[in-house]
Amino acid sequence: MSPVEVSTKPLQLPALDLFLDPHYPKPFAFVSHAHADHFARHDTILCSPQTAHLLHKRFNVASSRLQPLAFNSPLEHHGHLLRLLPAGHIFGSAMLHVTRTDGHATLLYTGDYKLRESLTADTAQLLQADTLIMETTFGLPHYVFPRRSKIESDILNFVHATLDDGDTPILLGYSLGKAQEALAILHEHNLPTLAHKNVHQMSQACFDAGSPFPVPELFTGPVPPGHTLVAPPNAVRSKQIRALKNRRLAMLSGWALNPGAQYRYQTDAAFPLSDHADYPELLETVKRVQPQSIITIHGSTREFATTLRQHGYDAWSIQGDDQIELDFQQPESSTTPPQKKLPQPKTEISQLSDLIEAIASASSRLRKITLLADHLRELPDPLLTHTTAFLSHRLLPDNQPLALGSALIRQALLQATNAPLARYRQISNQTADSARTTRLLLEQIPIFNPSTSLSTLHELAQLFHQIASTTGSLDKTTLLAHTLTRLHPRDAELLIKLLTGDLRAG
């Protein structure tokens, strides 16, 4: 019996004319959940009813494009039976199970998933399949999450200790997913909460689609005593949150397992509350599905496929790099820029890049001041105004920050380069720096067009106004992706530093 045919570039099932979570618009696509990095404006979208509602509310997708399918309700399509199964990732997330009616070959595509129970997502349901396409975000042996009760206890202890000291606890998590999980934990323990506007909107959409948890009060200003604020990570630089005195921040992320995570996130604490499967769950998935062949996608694809082959499975990374046995710490590392550097034109933007790199590399504070003073002294007034504003992270006249979230920056970079998500994550996990990741990926996949390049600081200032006036994350993503094609990789690194407010120049 031949297996269900799979094509990996991009990921699709050719016999069904069906693409799986593609990053770019397709005629017919399965969208596993409503996170931006798994969505594009496809002609027809197969998804769960809950995800359909979220896509409509979050991205204004027309109902005519949505083809919702209830969990465990078979749909016949091109000689195959399609069935959606709960994925346990976030509210409404789904796996796709396919059975060919002629021969009964089967396939399971997990999308993002976890096996652990949660308060806001249906517990994942696995079915046997001959072919398994599985995400492996945490596909390394040291990624083992603590018991859920332990994570919840640690979060609650942080909240209570902060409140007892008269301070404001702020829990940071993606506006769709971990934010609702955090709100549900607080609700179950009768702790008063406020929700940032993005979290509030997504919580309302989840509630309207059937989530049992009530929508918390909207955060509009000061946080009353005894309340906890739940907000997305990129909101910490907003005026509202920066105005809060005596606040304590806690990041909710599976990457909190990494040493020094709270210092990387610049928070007071970090808790490994994750909506992905950890390493033992990945192994458990394979054991329960009993596949004949496995394709690993996202994260540590090569490493986990190697582990599975050592256990006797026919497993291969979607990247097709399983035979590459290079040590990532050697000069051949995948994050090392190509030796042939792309020539960089001398422009106002490149001069600012030079200045920031020189300041960052200077160990002496006096040397940093001298470098800065010497540079500013030679600038004409208009250029001086832009330079001092950018170095002070005043990107707009009203000092409103433009801190774009890491998910939007990642999606823009993927859109600009057409790079696989696994390739991005391979670099990102090693650099832990979105600006550095941007530069390295753009050096490896050259897209810079000098004939349309940005060159002046005035053009950068205009860009910041464009970003501020652009509504909707998809439109912002497209704008940023187009901009990245017009910047030398080194200048693109500077742009991301400015947008995230993290120059790292001391």
CSV table of all heavy atoms in Angstrom, one decimal, residues 307-359:
chain,number,residue,atom,x,y,z
A,307,THR,N,17.3,11.3,16.4
A,307,THR,CA,16.9,10.5,17.6
A,307,THR,C,16.0,9.4,17.2
A,307,THR,O,16.1,8.3,17.7
A,307,THR,CB,16.3,11.4,18.7
A,307,THR,OG1,17.3,12.4,19.1
A,307,THR,CG2,15.8,10.6,19.9
A,308,LEU,N,15.0,9.8,16.4
A,308,LEU,CA,14.0,8.8,16.0
A,308,LEU,C,14.6,7.7,15.2
A,308,LEU,O,14.2,6.5,15.3
A,308,LEU,CB,12.8,9.4,15.2
A,308,LEU,CG,11.9,10.4,16.1
A,308,LEU,CD1,10.9,11.0,15.2
A,308,LEU,CD2,11.3,9.7,17.2
A,309,ARG,N,15.5,8.0,14.3
A,309,ARG,CA,16.2,7.0,13.5
A,309,ARG,C,17.0,6.0,14.4
A,309,ARG,O,17.1,4.8,14.1
A,309,ARG,CB,17.1,7.6,12.4
A,309,ARG,CG,16.3,8.3,11.3
A,309,ARG,CD,17.2,8.5,10.1
A,309,ARG,NE,18.3,9.3,10.4
A,309,ARG,CZ,18.3,10.6,10.4
A,309,ARG,NH1,17.2,11.3,10.1
A,309,ARG,NH2,19.4,11.3,10.6
A,310,GLN,N,17.6,6.6,15.5
A,310,GLN,CA,18.3,5.7,16.4
A,310,GLN,C,17.4,4.8,17.1
A,310,GLN,O,17.8,3.7,17.6
A,310,GLN,CB,19.0,6.6,17.4
A,310,GLN,CG,20.2,7.4,16.8
A,310,GLN,CD,20.8,8.5,17.7
A,310,GLN,OE1,20.2,8.8,18.8
A,310,GLN,NE2,21.9,9.1,17.4
A,311,HIS,N,16.1,5.1,17.2
A,311,HIS,CA,15.1,4.2,17.8
A,311,HIS,C,14.4,3.3,16.7
A,311,HIS,O,13.4,2.6,17.0
A,311,HIS,CB,14.0,5.0,18.5
A,311,HIS,CG,14.5,5.6,19.8
A,311,HIS,ND1,15.3,6.7,19.9
A,311,HIS,CD2,14.2,5.2,21.1
A,311,HIS,CE1,15.5,7.0,21.2
A,311,HIS,NE2,14.9,6.1,21.9
A,312,GLY,N,14.9,3.4,15.5
A,312,GLY,CA,14.4,2.5,14.5
A,312,GLY,C,13.3,3.0,13.6
A,312,GLY,O,12.8,2.3,12.8
A,313,TYR,N,13.0,4.3,13.7
A,313,TYR,CA,12.0,4.9,12.9
A,313,TYR,C,12.6,5.4,11.6
A,313,TYR,O,13.7,5.9,11.5
A,313,TYR,CB,11.2,6.0,13.6
A,313,TYR,CG,10.4,5.5,14.8
A,313,TYR,CD1,10.9,5.6,16.1
A,313,TYR,CD2,9.1,5.0,14.6
A,313,TYR,CE1,10.1,5.2,17.2
A,313,TYR,CE2,8.4,4.6,15.7
A,313,TYR,CZ,8.9,4.7,17.0
A,313,TYR,OH,8.1,4.2,18.0
A,314,ASP,N,11.7,5.5,10.5
A,314,ASP,CA,12.1,6.1,9.3
A,314,ASP,C,11.7,7.6,9.4
A,314,ASP,O,10.6,8.0,9.1
A,314,ASP,CB,11.4,5.4,8.1
A,314,ASP,CG,11.7,6.1,6.8
A,314,ASP,OD1,12.7,6.8,6.7
A,314,ASP,OD2,10.9,5.9,5.8
A,315,ALA,N,12.6,8.4,9.9
A,315,ALA,CA,12.3,9.8,10.2
A,315,ALA,C,13.3,10.8,9.5
A,315,ALA,O,14.5,10.5,9.6
A,315,ALA,CB,12.3,10.0,11.7
A,316,TRP,N,12.7,11.8,9.0
A,316,TRP,CA,13.6,12.8,8.3
A,316,TRP,C,13.1,14.2,8.5
A,316,TRP,O,11.9,14.5,8.6
A,316,TRP,CB,13.6,12.5,6.8
A,316,TRP,CG,14.1,11.1,6.5
A,316,TRP,CD1,13.3,9.9,6.4
A,316,TRP,CD2,15.5,10.6,6.5
A,316,TRP,NE1,14.1,8.8,6.2
A,316,TRP,CE2,15.4,9.2,6.3
A,316,TRP,CE3,16.7,11.3,6.6
A,316,TRP,CZ2,16.6,8.5,6.2
A,316,TRP,CZ3,17.8,10.5,6.5
A,316,TRP,CH2,17.8,9.1,6.3
A,317,SER,N,14.0,15.1,8.5
A,317,SER,CA,13.7,16.6,8.7
A,317,SER,C,13.1,17.1,7.4
A,317,SER,O,13.6,16.7,6.3
A,317,SER,CB,15.0,17.3,9.1
A,317,SER,OG,14.8,18.7,8.9
A,318,ILE,N,12.2,18.0,7.5
A,318,ILE,CA,11.6,18.7,6.3
A,318,ILE,C,12.7,19.5,5.6
A,318,ILE,O,12.6,19.8,4.4
A,318,ILE,CB,10.4,19.6,6.7
A,318,ILE,CG1,9.7,20.0,5.5
A,318,ILE,CG2,10.9,20.8,7.5
A,318,ILE,CD1,8.4,20.8,5.8
A,319,GLN,N,13.8,19.9,6.3
A,319,GLN,CA,14.9,20.6,5.7
A,319,GLN,C,15.7,19.8,4.8
A,319,GLN,O,16.5,20.3,4.0
A,319,GLN,CB,15.8,21.2,6.8
A,319,GLN,CG,15.1,22.3,7.6
A,319,GLN,CD,14.6,23.5,6.8
A,319,GLN,OE1,13.5,23.6,6.5
A,319,GLN,NE2,15.6,24.3,6.4
A,320,GLY,N,15.7,18.4,4.9
A,320,GLY,CA,16.5,17.6,4.1
A,320,GLY,C,17.9,17.7,4.4
A,320,GLY,O,18.8,17.3,3.6
A,321,ASP,N,18.3,18.1,5.6
A,321,ASP,CA,19.7,18.3,6.0
A,321,ASP,C,20.2,17.2,7.0
A,321,ASP,O,21.1,17.4,7.7
A,321,ASP,CB,20.0,19.7,6.6
A,321,ASP,CG,19.1,19.9,7.8
A,321,ASP,OD1,18.3,19.1,8.2
A,321,ASP,OD2,19.3,21.0,8.4
A,322,ASP,N,19.5,16.1,7.0
A,322,ASP,CA,19.8,15.1,8.0
A,322,ASP,C,21.2,14.5,7.9
A,322,ASP,O,21.7,14.0,8.9
A,322,ASP,CB,18.8,13.9,7.9
A,322,ASP,CG,17.3,14.4,8.0
A,322,ASP,OD1,16.8,14.9,7.1
A,322,ASP,OD2,16.8,14.3,9.1
A,323,GLN,N,21.8,14.5,6.8
A,323,GLN,CA,23.1,13.9,6.6
A,323,GLN,C,24.2,14.9,7.0
A,323,GLN,O,25.4,14.6,7.0
A,323,GLN,CB,23.3,13.5,5.2
A,323,GLN,CG,22.3,12.4,4.7
A,323,GLN,CD,22.3,11.2,5.6
A,323,GLN,OE1,23.4,10.8,6.1
A,323,GLN,NE2,21.2,10.5,5.8
A,324,ILE,N,23.8,16.1,7.3
A,324,ILE,CA,24.8,17.1,7.7
A,324,ILE,C,25.2,17.0,9.1
A,324,ILE,O,24.3,17.2,10.0
A,324,ILE,CB,24.3,18.6,7.4
A,324,ILE,CG1,24.0,18.7,5.9
A,324,ILE,CG2,25.3,19.6,7.8
A,324,ILE,CD1,23.4,20.1,5.6
A,325,GLU,N,26.4,16.5,9.4
A,325,GLU,CA,26.8,16.3,10.8
A,325,GLU,C,27.7,17.3,11.3
A,325,GLU,O,28.8,17.0,11.9
A,325,GLU,CB,27.4,14.9,10.9
A,325,GLU,CG,26.5,13.7,10.5
A,325,GLU,CD,25.2,13.6,11.3
A,325,GLU,OE1,25.3,14.1,12.5
A,325,GLU,OE2,24.2,13.1,10.8
A,326,LEU,N,27.4,18.6,11.0
A,326,LEU,CA,28.3,19.7,11.4
A,326,LEU,C,28.0,20.1,12.8
A,326,LEU,O,26.9,20.2,13.3
A,326,LEU,CB,28.1,20.9,10.5
A,326,LEU,CG,28.5,20.6,9.0
A,326,LEU,CD1,28.2,21.9,8.2
A,326,LEU,CD2,29.9,20.2,8.9
A,327,ASP,N,29.0,20.4,13.6
A,327,ASP,CA,28.9,21.0,14.9
A,327,ASP,C,28.5,22.5,14.7
A,327,ASP,O,29.2,23.3,14.1
A,327,ASP,CB,30.2,20.9,15.7
A,327,ASP,CG,30.1,21.5,17.1
A,327,ASP,OD1,29.1,22.1,17.4
A,327,ASP,OD2,31.0,21.3,17.9
A,328,PHE,N,27.3,22.9,15.3
A,328,PHE,CA,26.9,24.3,15.1
A,328,PHE,C,27.8,25.3,15.7
A,328,PHE,O,27.8,26.5,15.4
A,328,PHE,CB,25.5,24.5,15.7
A,328,PHE,CG,24.4,23.8,14.9
A,328,PHE,CD1,23.2,23.5,15.5
A,328,PHE,CD2,24.6,23.4,13.6
A,328,PHE,CE1,22.2,22.8,14.8
A,328,PHE,CE2,23.6,22.8,12.9
A,328,PHE,CZ,22.4,22.5,13.5
A,329,GLN,N,28.8,24.9,16.5
A,329,GLN,CA,29.7,25.9,17.1
A,329,GLN,C,31.0,26.0,16.3
A,329,GLN,O,31.8,26.9,16.6
A,329,GLN,CB,30.1,25.4,18.5
A,329,GLN,CG,28.9,25.2,19.4
A,329,GLN,CD,28.0,26.5,19.5
A,329,GLN,OE1,28.6,27.6,19.7
A,329,GLN,NE2,26.7,26.3,19.4
A,330,GLN,N,31.1,25.3,15.2
A,330,GLN,CA,32.3,25.4,14.4
A,330,GLN,C,32.2,26.5,13.4
A,330,GLN,O,31.1,27.0,13.2
A,330,GLN,CB,32.6,24.0,13.7
A,330,GLN,CG,32.9,22.9,14.7
A,330,GLN,CD,34.1,23.2,15.5
A,330,GLN,OE1,35.1,23.7,15.0
A,330,GLN,NE2,34.0,22.9,16.8
A,331,PRO,N,33.2,26.9,12.7
A,331,PRO,CA,33.1,28.0,11.7
A,331,PRO,C,32.1,27.7,10.6
A,331,PRO,O,31.6,28.6,10.0
A,331,PRO,CB,34.5,28.1,11.1
A,331,PRO,CG,35.4,27.5,12.2
A,331,PRO,CD,34.6,26.5,12.9
A,332,GLU,N,31.8,26.4,10.4
A,332,GLU,CA,30.8,26.1,9.3
A,332,GLU,C,29.4,26.3,9.8
A,332,GLU,O,28.4,26.0,9.2
A,332,GLU,CB,31.0,24.6,8.9
A,332,GLU,CG,32.3,24.3,8.2
A,332,GLU,CD,33.4,24.0,9.2
A,332,GLU,OE1,33.1,24.0,10.4
A,332,GLU,OE2,34.5,23.7,8.8
A,333,SER,N,29.2,26.8,11.1
A,333,SER,CA,27.9,27.0,11.7
A,333,SER,C,27.0,27.7,10.7
A,333,SER,O,27.3,28.6,10.0
A,333,SER,CB,28.1,27.9,12.9
A,333,SER,OG,26.8,28.3,13.3
A,334,SER,N,25.7,27.2,10.8
A,334,SER,CA,24.7,27.7,9.9
A,334,SER,C,24.4,29.2,10.2
A,334,SER,O,23.8,29.8,9.4
A,334,SER,CB,23.4,26.9,10.1
A,334,SER,OG,23.0,27.0,11.4
A,335,THR,N,24.9,29.7,11.3
A,335,THR,CA,24.6,31.2,11.6
A,335,THR,C,25.8,32.0,11.1
A,335,THR,O,25.7,33.2,11.3
A,335,THR,CB,24.3,31.4,13.1
A,335,THR,OG1,25.5,31.0,13.8
A,335,THR,CG2,23.2,30.6,13.5
A,336,THR,N,26.8,31.4,10.6
A,336,THR,CA,28.0,32.2,10.1
A,336,THR,C,27.7,32.9,8.8
A,336,THR,O,27.3,32.1,7.9
A,336,THR,CB,29.2,31.3,10.0
A,336,THR,OG1,29.5,30.8,11.3
A,336,THR,CG2,30.4,32.2,9.6
A,337,PRO,N,27.8,34.2,8.6
A,337,PRO,CA,27.5,34.8,7.3
A,337,PRO,C,28.4,34.3,6.3
A,337,PRO,O,29.6,33.8,6.5
A,337,PRO,CB,27.8,36.3,7.6
A,337,PRO,CG,27.8,36.4,9.1
A,337,PRO,CD,28.3,35.1,9.6
A,338,PRO,N,28.0,34.3,5.0
A,338,PRO,CA,28.8,33.9,3.9
A,338,PRO,C,30.1,34.7,3.9
A,338,PRO,O,30.1,35.9,4.2
A,338,PRO,CB,28.0,34.1,2.7
A,338,PRO,CG,26.6,34.2,3.2
A,338,PRO,CD,26.7,34.7,4.6
A,339,GLN,N,31.2,34.1,3.4
A,339,GLN,CA,32.5,34.8,3.4
A,339,GLN,C,32.4,35.9,2.4
A,339,GLN,O,33.1,37.0,2.6
A,339,GLN,CB,33.6,33.8,3.0
A,339,GLN,CG,33.9,32.8,4.1
A,339,GLN,CD,35.0,31.9,3.8
A,339,GLN,OE1,35.6,32.0,2.7
A,339,GLN,NE2,35.4,31.0,4.7
A,340,LYS,N,31.7,35.8,1.3
A,340,LYS,CA,31.6,36.8,0.3
A,340,LYS,C,30.5,37.8,0.8
A,340,LYS,O,29.3,37.6,0.7
A,340,LYS,CB,31.2,36.3,-1.1
A,340,LYS,CG,31.1,37.3,-2.2
A,340,LYS,CD,30.8,36.7,-3.5
A,340,LYS,CE,30.8,37.7,-4.6
A,340,LYS,NZ,30.5,37.1,-5.9
A,341,LYS,N,31.0,38.9,1.3
A,341,LYS,CA,30.1,39.9,1.9
A,341,LYS,C,29.4,40.8,0.8
A,341,LYS,O,30.1,41.1,-0.2
A,341,LYS,CB,30.8,40.8,2.9
A,341,LYS,CG,31.4,40.1,4.1
A,341,LYS,CD,30.3,39.7,5.0
A,341,LYS,CE,30.8,39.1,6.3
A,341,LYS,NZ,31.5,40.0,7.1
A,342,LEU,N,28.2,41.1,1.0
A,342,LEU,CA,27.5,42.0,0.1
A,342,LEU,C,28.0,43.4,0.3
A,342,LEU,O,28.0,44.0,1.4
A,342,LEU,CB,26.0,41.9,0.4
A,342,LEU,CG,25.1,42.7,-0.6
A,342,LEU,CD1,25.1,42.0,-2.0
A,342,LEU,CD2,23.6,42.6,-0.1
A,343,PRO,N,28.5,44.1,-0.8
A,343,PRO,CA,29.0,45.5,-0.6
A,343,PRO,C,27.9,46.4,0.0
A,343,PRO,O,26.7,46.3,-0.4
A,343,PRO,CB,29.3,45.9,-2.0
A,343,PRO,CG,29.5,44.6,-2.8
A,343,PRO,CD,28.6,43.7,-2.2
A,344,GLN,N,28.3,47.3,0.9
A,344,GLN,CA,27.3,48.1,1.6
A,344,GLN,C,27.6,49.6,1.1
A,344,GLN,O,28.7,50.1,1.4
A,344,GLN,CB,27.5,48.0,3.1
A,344,GLN,CG,26.5,48.9,3.8
A,344,GLN,CD,26.6,48.8,5.3
A,344,GLN,OE1,27.6,48.5,5.8
A,344,GLN,NE2,25.5,49.2,6.0
A,345,PRO,N,26.6,50.2,0.5
A,345,PRO,CA,26.8,51.6,0.1
A,345,PRO,C,26.9,52.5,1.3
A,345,PRO,O,26.4,52.2,2.4
A,345,PRO,CB,25.5,51.9,-0.7
A,345,PRO,CG,24.8,50.6,-1.0
A,345,PRO,CD,25.3,49.7,0.1
A,346,LYS,N,27.7,53.6,1.1
A,346,LYS,CA,27.9,54.6,2.2
A,346,LYS,C,26.7,55.5,2.2
A,346,LYS,O,26.5,56.3,1.3
A,346,LYS,CB,29.2,55.3,2.1
A,346,LYS,CG,30.4,54.5,2.5
A,346,LYS,CD,30.3,54.3,4.1
A,346,LYS,CE,31.5,53.5,4.6
A,346,LYS,NZ,31.4,53.2,6.0
A,347,THR,N,25.8,55.4,3.2
A,347,THR,CA,24.6,56.2,3.3
A,347,THR,C,24.5,56.8,4.7
A,347,THR,O,25.3,56.4,5.6
A,347,THR,CB,23.4,55.4,2.9
A,347,THR,OG1,23.2,54.4,3.9
A,347,THR,CG2,23.5,54.8,1.5
A,348,GLU,N,23.5,57.6,4.9
A,348,GLU,CA,23.2,58.1,6.2
A,348,GLU,C,22.9,57.0,7.2
A,348,GLU,O,23.3,57.0,8.3
A,348,GLU,CB,22.1,59.1,6.2
A,348,GLU,CG,22.4,60.4,5.5
A,348,GLU,CD,21.2,61.3,5.4
A,348,GLU,OE1,20.2,61.0,5.9
A,348,GLU,OE2,21.4,62.4,4.8
A,349,ILE,N,22.1,56.0,6.6
A,349,ILE,CA,21.7,54.8,7.5
A,349,ILE,C,23.0,54.0,7.8
A,349,ILE,O,23.1,53.6,9.0
A,349,ILE,CB,20.7,54.0,6.8
A,349,ILE,CG1,19.4,54.8,6.5
A,349,ILE,CG2,20.3,52.7,7.6
A,349,ILE,CD1,18.3,54.1,5.8
A,350,SER,N,23.8,53.7,6.8
A,350,SER,CA,25.0,52.9,7.1
A,350,SER,C,26.0,53.6,8.1
A,350,SER,O,26.6,53.0,8.9
A,350,SER,CB,25.7,52.6,5.8
A,350,SER,OG,26.3,53.7,5.2
A,351,GLN,N,26.0,55.0,8.0
A,351,GLN,CA,26.9,55.7,8.9
A,351,GLN,C,26.3,55.6,10.4
A,351,GLN,O,27.1,55.5,11.3
A,351,GLN,CB,27.0,57.2,8.5
A,351,GLN,CG,27.8,57.4,7.3
A,351,GLN,CD,27.7,58.8,6.8
A,351,GLN,OE1,27.0,59.7,7.3
A,351,GLN,NE2,28.4,59.1,5.7
A,352,LEU,N,25.0,55.6,10.5
A,352,LEU,CA,24.4,55.4,11.8
A,352,LEU,C,24.7,53.9,12.3
A,352,LEU,O,25.0,53.7,13.5
A,352,LEU,CB,22.9,55.6,11.8
A,352,LEU,CG,22.2,55.5,13.2
A,352,LEU,CD1,22.8,56.5,14.2
A,352,LEU,CD2,20.7,55.8,13.0
A,353,SER,N,24.7,53.0,11.4
A,353,SER,CA,25.0,51.6,11.7
A,353,SER,C,26.5,51.5,12.2
A,353,SER,O,26.8,50.9,13.2
A,353,SER,CB,24.8,50.7,10.5
A,353,SER,OG,23.5,50.6,10.1
A,354,ASP,N,27.4,52.2,11.5
A,354,ASP,CA,28.8,52.2,11.9
A,354,ASP,C,28.9,52.8,13.3
A,354,ASP,O,29.7,52.3,14.1
A,354,ASP,CB,29.6,53.1,10.9
A,354,ASP,CG,29.7,52.4,9.5
A,354,ASP,OD1,29.5,51.2,9.4
A,354,ASP,OD2,30.0,53.1,8.6
A,355,LEU,N,28.2,53.9,13.6
A,355,LEU,CA,28.4,54.5,14.9
A,355,LEU,C,27.9,53.6,16.0
A,355,LEU,O,28.6,53.5,17.0
A,355,LEU,CB,27.5,55.8,14.9
A,355,LEU,CG,27.4,56.5,16.2
A,355,LEU,CD1,28.7,57.1,16.7
A,355,LEU,CD2,26.3,57.6,16.1
A,356,ILE,N,26.8,53.0,15.8
A,356,ILE,CA,26.2,52.1,16.9
A,356,ILE,C,27.2,50.9,17.1
A,356,ILE,O,27.4,50.5,18.3
A,356,ILE,CB,24.8,51.7,16.5
A,356,ILE,CG1,23.9,52.9,16.6
A,356,ILE,CG2,24.3,50.6,17.5
A,356,ILE,CD1,22.5,52.6,16.2
A,357,GLU,N,27.7,50.3,16.0
A,357,GLU,CA,28.6,49.2,16.2
A,357,GLU,C,29.9,49.7,16.9
A,357,GLU,O,30.4,48.9,17.8
A,357,GLU,CB,29.0,48.6,14.9
A,357,GLU,CG,27.8,47.8,14.3
A,357,GLU,CD,28.3,46.8,13.2
A,357,GLU,OE1,29.5,46.8,12.9
A,357,GLU,OE2,27.5,46.1,12.6
A,358,ALA,N,30.4,50.9,16.6
A,358,ALA,CA,31.6,51.4,17.3
A,358,ALA,C,31.3,51.6,18.7
A,358,ALA,O,32.2,51.3,19.6
A,358,ALA,CB,32.1,52.7,16.6
A,359,ILE,N,30.2,52.2,19.1
A,359,ILE,CA,29.9,52.5,20.5
A,359,ILE,C,29.7,51.1,21.2
A,359,ILE,O,30.2,51.0,22.4
A,359,ILE,CB,28.6,53.3,20.6
A,359,ILE,CG1,28.8,54.7,20.0
A,359,ILE,CG2,28.1,53.4,22.0
A,359,ILE,CD1,27.5,55.5,19.9
